Amino acid sequence: MTALATPPAAVYSPALRGLQATVADSFALVMEARNGVPAKTAFDVAALLKLSTDELANLLHTTTKTLRAYREGKKRLGPAASEQILKLLALARQGEEVFGALPAFRRWLDKPAYGLDNQAPLALLETSGGIDLVADEVDRIAHGDLA
């Protein structure tokens, strides 16, 4: 029974755990995005959501080569990509709470969602506004508003 009691937060890297307060506050999220997040943070969020490097690159409108070069050079992402990464982290936390576990949330991201015009939520994560739409849908699910 103790194996089941292991907190799901164990999959969060120390850097991601350090950003939890930031992503819970919209103003702090924007301020952090303006400074840029380390490219490694993007890879940590991708690992959390079980996104491949190609999927991550597509969501951030860049190439895997560029992302890897940024990570290896310990560079920070630009404000727009940083905002996306921080919002994806916030969405992962929200999805984990609503679906009970990240793997269940990840499965949901791949399936067409009625409230999103039958589009897979993952396809909408390439823009900040799309992430907001998915977050709103997760919120509706949390409140039992499935119509």
PDB file of all heavy atoms in Angstrom, residues 76-113:
ATOM      1  N   ARG A  76      18.769  30.533 -22.037  1.00  0.00           N
ATOM      2  CA  ARG A  76      17.370  30.742 -21.672  1.00  0.00           C
ATOM      3  C   ARG A  76      16.537  30.898 -22.940  1.00  0.00           C
ATOM      4  O   ARG A  76      17.019  31.432 -23.941  1.00  0.00           O
ATOM      5  CB  ARG A  76      17.217  31.981 -20.793  1.00  0.00           C
ATOM      6  CG  ARG A  76      17.835  31.795 -19.427  1.00  0.00           C
ATOM      7  CD  ARG A  76      17.614  33.010 -18.534  1.00  0.00           C
ATOM      8  NE  ARG A  76      18.045  32.711 -17.190  1.00  0.00           N
ATOM      9  CZ  ARG A  76      17.272  32.174 -16.252  1.00  0.00           C
ATOM     10  NH1 ARG A  76      16.025  31.889 -16.512  1.00  0.00           N
ATOM     11  NH2 ARG A  76      17.751  31.936 -15.054  1.00  0.00           N
ATOM     12  N   LEU A  77      15.299  30.447 -22.855  1.00  0.00           N
ATOM     13  CA  LEU A  77      14.364  30.620 -23.972  1.00  0.00           C
ATOM     14  C   LEU A  77      13.871  32.059 -23.995  1.00  0.00           C
ATOM     15  O   LEU A  77      13.916  32.759 -22.979  1.00  0.00           O
ATOM     16  CB  LEU A  77      13.182  29.670 -23.815  1.00  0.00           C
ATOM     17  CG  LEU A  77      13.510  28.180 -23.782  1.00  0.00           C
ATOM     18  CD1 LEU A  77      12.252  27.373 -23.512  1.00  0.00           C
ATOM     19  CD2 LEU A  77      14.161  27.729 -25.072  1.00  0.00           C
ATOM     20  N   GLY A  78      13.338  32.467 -25.124  1.00  0.00           N
ATOM     21  CA  GLY A  78      12.754  33.796 -25.241  1.00  0.00           C
ATOM     22  C   GLY A  78      11.464  33.893 -24.442  1.00  0.00           C
ATOM     23  O   GLY A  78      10.917  32.877 -23.983  1.00  0.00           O
ATOM     24  N   PRO A  79      10.944  35.100 -24.283  1.00  0.00           N
ATOM     25  CA  PRO A  79       9.732  35.300 -23.465  1.00  0.00           C
ATOM     26  C   PRO A  79       8.512  34.498 -23.925  1.00  0.00           C
ATOM     27  O   PRO A  79       7.816  33.910 -23.100  1.00  0.00           O
ATOM     28  CB  PRO A  79       9.463  36.805 -23.575  1.00  0.00           C
ATOM     29  CG  PRO A  79      10.799  37.399 -23.861  1.00  0.00           C
ATOM     30  CD  PRO A  79      11.518  36.376 -24.708  1.00  0.00           C
ATOM     31  N   ALA A  80       8.252  34.420 -25.231  1.00  0.00           N
ATOM     32  CA  ALA A  80       7.059  33.707 -25.707  1.00  0.00           C
ATOM     33  C   ALA A  80       7.172  32.207 -25.426  1.00  0.00           C
ATOM     34  O   ALA A  80       6.229  31.589 -24.917  1.00  0.00           O
ATOM     35  CB  ALA A  80       6.844  33.954 -27.197  1.00  0.00           C
ATOM     36  N   ALA A  81       8.322  31.615 -25.733  1.00  0.00           N
ATOM     37  CA  ALA A  81       8.518  30.188 -25.470  1.00  0.00           C
ATOM     38  C   ALA A  81       8.526  29.921 -23.972  1.00  0.00           C
ATOM     39  O   ALA A  81       7.986  28.913 -23.511  1.00  0.00           O
ATOM     40  CB  ALA A  81       9.817  29.708 -26.108  1.00  0.00           C
ATOM     41  N   SER A  82       9.112  30.829 -23.205  1.00  0.00           N
ATOM     42  CA  SER A  82       9.140  30.671 -21.743  1.00  0.00           C
ATOM     43  C   SER A  82       7.732  30.700 -21.172  1.00  0.00           C
ATOM     44  O   SER A  82       7.393  29.896 -20.294  1.00  0.00           O
ATOM     45  CB  SER A  82       9.985  31.778 -21.107  1.00  0.00           C
ATOM     46  OG  SER A  82      11.340  31.641 -21.465  1.00  0.00           O
ATOM     47  N   GLU A  83       6.903  31.617 -21.688  1.00  0.00           N
ATOM     48  CA  GLU A  83       5.516  31.681 -21.222  1.00  0.00           C
ATOM     49  C   GLU A  83       4.793  30.370 -21.522  1.00  0.00           C
ATOM     50  O   GLU A  83       4.070  29.840 -20.681  1.00  0.00           O
ATOM     51  CB  GLU A  83       4.776  32.849 -21.867  1.00  0.00           C
ATOM     52  CG  GLU A  83       3.329  32.936 -21.409  1.00  0.00           C
ATOM     53  CD  GLU A  83       2.549  34.019 -22.130  1.00  0.00           C
ATOM     54  OE1 GLU A  83       2.903  34.377 -23.273  1.00  0.00           O
ATOM     55  OE2 GLU A  83       1.562  34.489 -21.544  1.00  0.00           O
ATOM     56  N   GLN A  84       5.014  29.836 -22.711  1.00  0.00           N
ATOM     57  CA  GLN A  84       4.383  28.561 -23.066  1.00  0.00           C
ATOM     58  C   GLN A  84       4.809  27.452 -22.112  1.00  0.00           C
ATOM     59  O   GLN A  84       3.983  26.675 -21.643  1.00  0.00           O
ATOM     60  CB  GLN A  84       4.760  28.160 -24.493  1.00  0.00           C
ATOM     61  CG  GLN A  84       3.708  28.485 -25.511  1.00  0.00           C
ATOM     62  CD  GLN A  84       4.134  27.958 -26.857  1.00  0.00           C
ATOM     63  OE1 GLN A  84       4.977  28.544 -27.513  1.00  0.00           O
ATOM     64  NE2 GLN A  84       3.545  26.850 -27.257  1.00  0.00           N
ATOM     65  N   ILE A  85       6.088  27.378 -21.827  1.00  0.00           N
ATOM     66  CA  ILE A  85       6.601  26.331 -20.947  1.00  0.00           C
ATOM     67  C   ILE A  85       6.009  26.475 -19.550  1.00  0.00           C
ATOM     68  O   ILE A  85       5.567  25.497 -18.939  1.00  0.00           O
ATOM     69  CB  ILE A  85       8.145  26.359 -20.907  1.00  0.00           C
ATOM     70  CG1 ILE A  85       8.709  25.920 -22.259  1.00  0.00           C
ATOM     71  CG2 ILE A  85       8.691  25.512 -19.764  1.00  0.00           C
ATOM     72  CD1 ILE A  85       8.297  24.516 -22.692  1.00  0.00           C
ATOM     73  N   LEU A  86       5.966  27.690 -19.040  1.00  0.00           N
ATOM     74  CA  LEU A  86       5.405  27.912 -17.699  1.00  0.00           C
ATOM     75  C   LEU A  86       3.918  27.586 -17.664  1.00  0.00           C
ATOM     76  O   LEU A  86       3.420  26.998 -16.702  1.00  0.00           O
ATOM     77  CB  LEU A  86       5.677  29.344 -17.240  1.00  0.00           C
ATOM     78  CG  LEU A  86       7.153  29.665 -16.992  1.00  0.00           C
ATOM     79  CD1 LEU A  86       7.349  31.166 -16.809  1.00  0.00           C
ATOM     80  CD2 LEU A  86       7.684  28.888 -15.798  1.00  0.00           C
ATOM     81  N   LYS A  87       3.205  27.947 -18.721  1.00  0.00           N
ATOM     82  CA  LYS A  87       1.771  27.631 -18.781  1.00  0.00           C
ATOM     83  C   LYS A  87       1.550  26.127 -18.926  1.00  0.00           C
ATOM     84  O   LYS A  87       0.585  25.585 -18.383  1.00  0.00           O
ATOM     85  CB  LYS A  87       1.098  28.403 -19.917  1.00  0.00           C
ATOM     86  CG  LYS A  87       0.945  29.885 -19.610  1.00  0.00           C
ATOM     87  CD  LYS A  87       0.325  30.616 -20.762  1.00  0.00           C
ATOM     88  CE  LYS A  87      -1.034  31.089 -20.345  1.00  0.00           C
ATOM     89  NZ  LYS A  87      -1.705  31.887 -21.363  1.00  0.00           N
ATOM     90  N   LEU A  88       2.443  25.453 -19.641  1.00  0.00           N
ATOM     91  CA  LEU A  88       2.340  23.992 -19.745  1.00  0.00           C
ATOM     92  C   LEU A  88       2.586  23.337 -18.389  1.00  0.00           C
ATOM     93  O   LEU A  88       1.927  22.357 -18.039  1.00  0.00           O
ATOM     94  CB  LEU A  88       3.328  23.450 -20.776  1.00  0.00           C
ATOM     95  CG  LEU A  88       2.966  23.681 -22.238  1.00  0.00           C
ATOM     96  CD1 LEU A  88       4.124  23.291 -23.149  1.00  0.00           C
ATOM     97  CD2 LEU A  88       1.699  22.928 -22.619  1.00  0.00           C
ATOM     98  N   LEU A  89       3.493  23.892 -17.622  1.00  0.00           N
ATOM     99  CA  LEU A  89       3.734  23.377 -16.271  1.00  0.00           C
ATOM    100  C   LEU A  89       2.490  23.568 -15.406  1.00  0.00           C
ATOM    101  O   LEU A  89       2.068  22.647 -14.700  1.00  0.00           O
ATOM    102  CB  LEU A  89       4.944  24.064 -15.640  1.00  0.00           C
ATOM    103  CG  LEU A  89       5.275  23.680 -14.204  1.00  0.00           C
ATOM    104  CD1 LEU A  89       5.482  22.171 -14.050  1.00  0.00           C
ATOM    105  CD2 LEU A  89       6.502  24.462 -13.734  1.00  0.00           C
ATOM    106  N   ALA A  90       1.885  24.741 -15.485  1.00  0.00           N
ATOM    107  CA  ALA A  90       0.653  24.994 -14.728  1.00  0.00           C
ATOM    108  C   ALA A  90      -0.453  24.044 -15.183  1.00  0.00           C
ATOM    109  O   ALA A  90      -1.202  23.506 -14.361  1.00  0.00           O
ATOM    110  CB  ALA A  90       0.218  26.450 -14.904  1.00  0.00           C
ATOM    111  N   LEU A  91      -0.548  23.818 -16.490  1.00  0.00           N
ATOM    112  CA  LEU A  91      -1.555  22.906 -17.032  1.00  0.00           C
ATOM    113  C   LEU A  91      -1.310  21.478 -16.553  1.00  0.00           C
ATOM    114  O   LEU A  91      -2.264  20.754 -16.224  1.00  0.00           O
ATOM    115  CB  LEU A  91      -1.554  22.968 -18.562  1.00  0.00           C
ATOM    116  CG  LEU A  91      -2.573  22.096 -19.277  1.00  0.00           C
ATOM    117  CD1 LEU A  91      -4.001  22.539 -18.954  1.00  0.00           C
ATOM    118  CD2 LEU A  91      -2.326  22.152 -20.789  1.00  0.00           C
ATOM    119  N   ALA A  92      -0.054  21.071 -16.495  1.00  0.00           N
ATOM    120  CA  ALA A  92       0.269  19.724 -16.014  1.00  0.00           C
ATOM    121  C   ALA A  92      -0.197  19.552 -14.572  1.00  0.00           C
ATOM    122  O   ALA A  92      -0.784  18.522 -14.223  1.00  0.00           O
ATOM    123  CB  ALA A  92       1.776  19.463 -16.122  1.00  0.00           C
ATOM    124  N   ARG A  93       0.039  20.545 -13.746  1.00  0.00           N
ATOM    125  CA  ARG A  93      -0.403  20.475 -12.344  1.00  0.00           C
ATOM    126  C   ARG A  93      -1.928  20.396 -12.274  1.00  0.00           C
ATOM    127  O   ARG A  93      -2.487  19.603 -11.520  1.00  0.00           O
ATOM    128  CB  ARG A  93       0.090  21.692 -11.554  1.00  0.00           C
ATOM    129  CG  ARG A  93       1.568  21.720 -11.273  1.00  0.00           C
ATOM    130  CD  ARG A  93       1.984  20.625 -10.354  1.00  0.00           C
ATOM    131  NE  ARG A  93       1.323  20.743  -9.070  1.00  0.00           N
ATOM    132  CZ  ARG A  93       1.781  20.305  -7.940  1.00  0.00           C
ATOM    133  NH1 ARG A  93       2.932  19.690  -7.895  1.00  0.00           N
ATOM    134  NH2 ARG A  93       1.107  20.449  -6.833  1.00  0.00           N
ATOM    135  N   GLN A  94      -2.592  21.226 -13.055  1.00  0.00           N
ATOM    136  CA  GLN A  94      -4.060  21.229 -13.088  1.00  0.00           C
ATOM    137  C   GLN A  94      -4.570  19.874 -13.577  1.00  0.00           C
ATOM    138  O   GLN A  94      -5.500  19.303 -12.981  1.00  0.00           O
ATOM    139  CB  GLN A  94      -4.547  22.356 -14.007  1.00  0.00           C
ATOM    140  CG  GLN A  94      -6.056  22.457 -14.109  1.00  0.00           C
ATOM    141  CD  GLN A  94      -6.499  23.446 -15.176  1.00  0.00           C
ATOM    142  OE1 GLN A  94      -5.725  23.836 -16.066  1.00  0.00           O
ATOM    143  NE2 GLN A  94      -7.751  23.858 -15.104  1.00  0.00           N
ATOM    144  N   GLY A  95      -3.984  19.363 -14.640  1.00  0.00           N
ATOM    145  CA  GLY A  95      -4.400  18.074 -15.182  1.00  0.00           C
ATOM    146  C   GLY A  95      -4.176  16.943 -14.195  1.00  0.00           C
ATOM    147  O   GLY A  95      -5.007  16.040 -14.068  1.00  0.00           O
ATOM    148  N   GLU A  96      -3.075  16.992 -13.482  1.00  0.00           N
ATOM    149  CA  GLU A  96      -2.781  15.969 -12.473  1.00  0.00           C
ATOM    150  C   GLU A  96      -3.829  15.995 -11.359  1.00  0.00           C
ATOM    151  O   GLU A  96      -4.296  14.946 -10.916  1.00  0.00           O
ATOM    152  CB  GLU A  96      -1.387  16.213 -11.894  1.00  0.00           C
ATOM    153  CG  GLU A  96      -0.964  15.189 -10.883  1.00  0.00           C
ATOM    154  CD  GLU A  96       0.441  15.441 -10.359  1.00  0.00           C
ATOM    155  OE1 GLU A  96       0.876  16.604 -10.312  1.00  0.00           O
ATOM    156  OE2 GLU A  96       1.092  14.448  -9.995  1.00  0.00           O
ATOM    157  N   GLU A  97      -4.225  17.182 -10.948  1.00  0.00           N
ATOM    158  CA  GLU A  97      -5.250  17.303  -9.896  1.00  0.00           C
ATOM    159  C   GLU A  97      -6.597  16.782 -10.373  1.00  0.00           C
ATOM    160  O   GLU A  97      -7.282  16.041  -9.665  1.00  0.00           O
ATOM    161  CB  GLU A  97      -5.389  18.761  -9.455  1.00  0.00           C
ATOM    162  CG  GLU A  97      -4.224  19.278  -8.640  1.00  0.00           C
ATOM    163  CD  GLU A  97      -4.345  20.755  -8.337  1.00  0.00           C
ATOM    164  OE1 GLU A  97      -5.473  21.311  -8.415  1.00  0.00           O
ATOM    165  OE2 GLU A  97      -3.314  21.371  -8.012  1.00  0.00           O
ATOM    166  N   VAL A  98      -6.989  17.156 -11.577  1.00  0.00           N
ATOM    167  CA  VAL A  98      -8.316  16.795 -12.082  1.00  0.00           C
ATOM    168  C   VAL A  98      -8.404  15.328 -12.494  1.00  0.00           C
ATOM    169  O   VAL A  98      -9.394  14.654 -12.199  1.00  0.00           O
ATOM    170  CB  VAL A  98      -8.720  17.720 -13.258  1.00  0.00           C
ATOM    171  CG1 VAL A  98     -10.005  17.240 -13.923  1.00  0.00           C
ATOM    172  CG2 VAL A  98      -8.867  19.159 -12.763  1.00  0.00           C
ATOM    173  N   PHE A  99      -7.370  14.820 -13.149  1.00  0.00           N
ATOM    174  CA  PHE A  99      -7.398  13.446 -13.653  1.00  0.00           C
ATOM    175  C   PHE A  99      -6.803  12.437 -12.674  1.00  0.00           C
ATOM    176  O   PHE A  99      -6.850  11.248 -12.921  1.00  0.00           O
ATOM    177  CB  PHE A  99      -6.690  13.365 -15.006  1.00  0.00           C
ATOM    178  CG  PHE A  99      -7.471  14.017 -16.118  1.00  0.00           C
ATOM    179  CD1 PHE A  99      -7.366  15.379 -16.361  1.00  0.00           C
ATOM    180  CD2 PHE A  99      -8.324  13.276 -16.911  1.00  0.00           C
ATOM    181  CE1 PHE A  99      -8.094  15.990 -17.368  1.00  0.00           C
ATOM    182  CE2 PHE A  99      -9.055  13.867 -17.917  1.00  0.00           C
ATOM    183  CZ  PHE A  99      -8.948  15.234 -18.146  1.00  0.00           C
ATOM    184  N   GLY A 100      -6.224  12.926 -11.594  1.00  0.00           N
ATOM    185  CA  GLY A 100      -5.697  12.048 -10.565  1.00  0.00           C
ATOM    186  C   GLY A 100      -4.251  11.621 -10.749  1.00  0.00           C
ATOM    187  O   GLY A 100      -3.598  11.225  -9.797  1.00  0.00           O
ATOM    188  N   ALA A 101      -3.747  11.695 -11.962  1.00  0.00           N
ATOM    189  CA  ALA A 101      -2.359  11.322 -12.242  1.00  0.00           C
ATOM    190  C   ALA A 101      -1.968  11.872 -13.609  1.00  0.00           C
ATOM    191  O   ALA A 101      -2.807  11.996 -14.503  1.00  0.00           O
ATOM    192  CB  ALA A 101      -2.195   9.811 -12.225  1.00  0.00           C
ATOM    193  N   LEU A 102      -0.698  12.156 -13.754  1.00  0.00           N
ATOM    194  CA  LEU A 102      -0.225  12.694 -15.034  1.00  0.00           C
ATOM    195  C   LEU A 102      -0.425  11.749 -16.211  1.00  0.00           C
ATOM    196  O   LEU A 102      -0.799  12.200 -17.298  1.00  0.00           O
ATOM    197  CB  LEU A 102       1.237  13.120 -14.921  1.00  0.00           C
ATOM    198  CG  LEU A 102       1.428  14.482 -14.258  1.00  0.00           C
ATOM    199  CD1 LEU A 102       2.893  14.727 -13.948  1.00  0.00           C
ATOM    200  CD2 LEU A 102       0.883  15.586 -15.132  1.00  0.00           C
ATOM    201  N   PRO A 103      -0.208  10.433 -16.057  1.00  0.00           N
ATOM    202  CA  PRO A 103      -0.449   9.553 -17.217  1.00  0.00           C
ATOM    203  C   PRO A 103      -1.903   9.616 -17.719  1.00  0.00           C
ATOM    204  O   PRO A 103      -2.142   9.591 -18.934  1.00  0.00           O
ATOM    205  CB  PRO A 103      -0.095   8.163 -16.690  1.00  0.00           C
ATOM    206  CG  PRO A 103       0.905   8.430 -15.604  1.00  0.00           C
ATOM    207  CD  PRO A 103       0.433   9.704 -14.959  1.00  0.00           C
ATOM    208  N   ALA A 104      -2.853   9.708 -16.822  1.00  0.00           N
ATOM    209  CA  ALA A 104      -4.259   9.810 -17.235  1.00  0.00           C
ATOM    210  C   ALA A 104      -4.501  11.130 -17.961  1.00  0.00           C
ATOM    211  O   ALA A 104      -5.209  11.172 -18.981  1.00  0.00           O
ATOM    212  CB  ALA A 104      -5.177   9.696 -16.021  1.00  0.00           C
ATOM    213  N   PHE A 105      -3.909  12.201 -17.457  1.00  0.00           N
ATOM    214  CA  PHE A 105      -4.038  13.503 -18.118  1.00  0.00           C
ATOM    215  C   PHE A 105      -3.395  13.457 -19.501  1.00  0.00           C
ATOM    216  O   PHE A 105      -3.960  13.944 -20.476  1.00  0.00           O
ATOM    217  CB  PHE A 105      -3.404  14.599 -17.261  1.00  0.00           C
ATOM    218  CG  PHE A 105      -3.401  15.953 -17.910  1.00  0.00           C
ATOM    219  CD1 PHE A 105      -4.584  16.560 -18.286  1.00  0.00           C
ATOM    220  CD2 PHE A 105      -2.209  16.621 -18.140  1.00  0.00           C
ATOM    221  CE1 PHE A 105      -4.594  17.820 -18.895  1.00  0.00           C
ATOM    222  CE2 PHE A 105      -2.192  17.871 -18.738  1.00  0.00           C
ATOM    223  CZ  PHE A 105      -3.385  18.469 -19.118  1.00  0.00           C
ATOM    224  N   ARG A 106      -2.240  12.832 -19.596  1.00  0.00           N
ATOM    225  CA  ARG A 106      -1.541  12.746 -20.880  1.00  0.00           C
ATOM    226  C   ARG A 106      -2.371  11.978 -21.899  1.00  0.00           C
ATOM    227  O   ARG A 106      -2.449  12.366 -23.067  1.00  0.00           O
ATOM    228  CB  ARG A 106      -0.163  12.079 -20.684  1.00  0.00           C
ATOM    229  CG  ARG A 106       0.645  11.937 -21.968  1.00  0.00           C
ATOM    230  CD  ARG A 106       0.904  13.292 -22.613  1.00  0.00           C
ATOM    231  NE  ARG A 106       1.826  13.197 -23.724  1.00  0.00           N
ATOM    232  CZ  ARG A 106       1.452  13.113 -24.988  1.00  0.00           C
ATOM    233  NH1 ARG A 106       0.177  13.101 -25.319  1.00  0.00           N
ATOM    234  NH2 ARG A 106       2.348  13.059 -25.944  1.00  0.00           N
ATOM    235  N   ARG A 107      -3.012  10.905 -21.460  1.00  0.00           N
ATOM    236  CA  ARG A 107      -3.894  10.150 -22.381  1.00  0.00           C
ATOM    237  C   ARG A 107      -5.023  11.050 -22.863  1.00  0.00           C
ATOM    238  O   ARG A 107      -5.392  11.018 -24.044  1.00  0.00           O
ATOM    239  CB  ARG A 107      -4.430   8.896 -21.705  1.00  0.00           C
ATOM    240  CG  ARG A 107      -3.415   7.773 -21.601  1.00  0.00           C
ATOM    241  CD  ARG A 107      -4.028   6.468 -21.138  1.00  0.00           C
ATOM    242  NE  ARG A 107      -4.654   6.549 -19.822  1.00  0.00           N
ATOM    243  CZ  ARG A 107      -4.008   6.396 -18.673  1.00  0.00           C
ATOM    244  NH1 ARG A 107      -2.718   6.152 -18.662  1.00  0.00           N
ATOM    245  NH2 ARG A 107      -4.658   6.484 -17.529  1.00  0.00           N
ATOM    246  N   TRP A 108      -5.588  11.855 -21.957  1.00  0.00           N
ATOM    247  CA  TRP A 108      -6.680  12.751 -22.333  1.00  0.00           C
ATOM    248  C   TRP A 108      -6.210  13.764 -23.370  1.00  0.00           C
ATOM    249  O   TRP A 108      -6.959  14.116 -24.286  1.00  0.00           O
ATOM    250  CB  TRP A 108      -7.239  13.459 -21.091  1.00  0.00           C
ATOM    251  CG  TRP A 108      -8.320  14.442 -21.407  1.00  0.00           C
ATOM    252  CD1 TRP A 108      -9.636  14.163 -21.636  1.00  0.00           C
ATOM    253  CD2 TRP A 108      -8.180  15.858 -21.565  1.00  0.00           C
ATOM    254  NE1 TRP A 108     -10.324  15.325 -21.923  1.00  0.00           N
ATOM    255  CE2 TRP A 108      -9.438  16.382 -21.875  1.00  0.00           C
ATOM    256  CE3 TRP A 108      -7.097  16.728 -21.454  1.00  0.00           C
ATOM    257  CZ2 TRP A 108      -9.662  17.732 -22.087  1.00  0.00           C
ATOM    258  CZ3 TRP A 108      -7.312  18.078 -21.671  1.00  0.00           C
ATOM    259  CH2 TRP A 108      -8.584  18.562 -21.985  1.00  0.00           C
ATOM    260  N   LEU A 109      -4.976  14.237 -23.242  1.00  0.00           N
ATOM    261  CA  LEU A 109      -4.447  15.227 -24.187  1.00  0.00           C
ATOM    262  C   LEU A 109      -4.436  14.716 -25.624  1.00  0.00           C
ATOM    263  O   LEU A 109      -4.524  15.499 -26.568  1.00  0.00           O
ATOM    264  CB  LEU A 109      -3.021  15.639 -23.802  1.00  0.00           C
ATOM    265  CG  LEU A 109      -2.858  16.554 -22.606  1.00  0.00           C
ATOM    266  CD1 LEU A 109      -1.378  16.729 -22.278  1.00  0.00           C
ATOM    267  CD2 LEU A 109      -3.524  17.897 -22.837  1.00  0.00           C
ATOM    268  N   ASP A 110      -4.340  13.407 -25.793  1.00  0.00           N
ATOM    269  CA  ASP A 110      -4.252  12.815 -27.130  1.00  0.00           C
ATOM    270  C   ASP A 110      -5.606  12.517 -27.767  1.00  0.00           C
ATOM    271  O   ASP A 110      -5.662  12.213 -28.958  1.00  0.00           O
ATOM    272  CB  ASP A 110      -3.450  11.508 -27.076  1.00  0.00           C
ATOM    273  CG  ASP A 110      -1.972  11.755 -26.876  1.00  0.00           C
ATOM    274  OD1 ASP A 110      -1.451  12.761 -27.388  1.00  0.00           O
ATOM    275  OD2 ASP A 110      -1.330  10.932 -26.198  1.00  0.00           O
ATOM    276  N   LYS A 111      -6.677  12.588 -26.984  1.00  0.00           N
ATOM    277  CA  LYS A 111      -7.996  12.202 -27.501  1.00  0.00           C
ATOM    278  C   LYS A 111      -8.834  13.424 -27.850  1.00  0.00           C
ATOM    279  O   LYS A 111      -8.778  14.439 -27.164  1.00  0.00           O
ATOM    280  CB  LYS A 111      -8.738  11.373 -26.453  1.00  0.00           C
ATOM    281  CG  LYS A 111      -8.049  10.066 -26.154  1.00  0.00           C
ATOM    282  CD  LYS A 111      -8.793   9.298 -25.105  1.00  0.00           C
ATOM    283  CE  LYS A 111      -8.053   7.998 -24.795  1.00  0.00           C
ATOM    284  NZ  LYS A 111      -8.650   7.279 -23.701  1.00  0.00           N
ATOM    285  N   PRO A 112      -9.654  13.325 -28.896  1.00  0.00           N
ATOM    286  CA  PRO A 112     -10.538  14.450 -29.224  1.00  0.00           C
ATOM    287  C   PRO A 112     -11.427  14.806 -28.028  1.00  0.00           C
ATOM    288  O   PRO A 112     -11.953  13.930 -27.350  1.00  0.00           O
ATOM    289  CB  PRO A 112     -11.384  13.913 -30.383  1.00  0.00           C
ATOM    290  CG  PRO A 112     -10.549  12.820 -30.976  1.00  0.00           C
ATOM    291  CD  PRO A 112      -9.806  12.213 -29.827  1.00  0.00           C
ATOM    292  N   ALA A 113     -11.543  16.101 -27.779  1.00  0.00           N
ATOM    293  CA  ALA A 113     -12.334  16.584 -26.638  1.00  0.00           C
ATOM    294  C   ALA A 113     -13.563  17.318 -27.156  1.00  0.00           C
ATOM    295  O   ALA A 113     -13.450  18.244 -27.967  1.00  0.00           O
ATOM    296  CB  ALA A 113     -11.495  17.501 -25.757  1.00  0.00           C
TER     297      ALA A 113
END
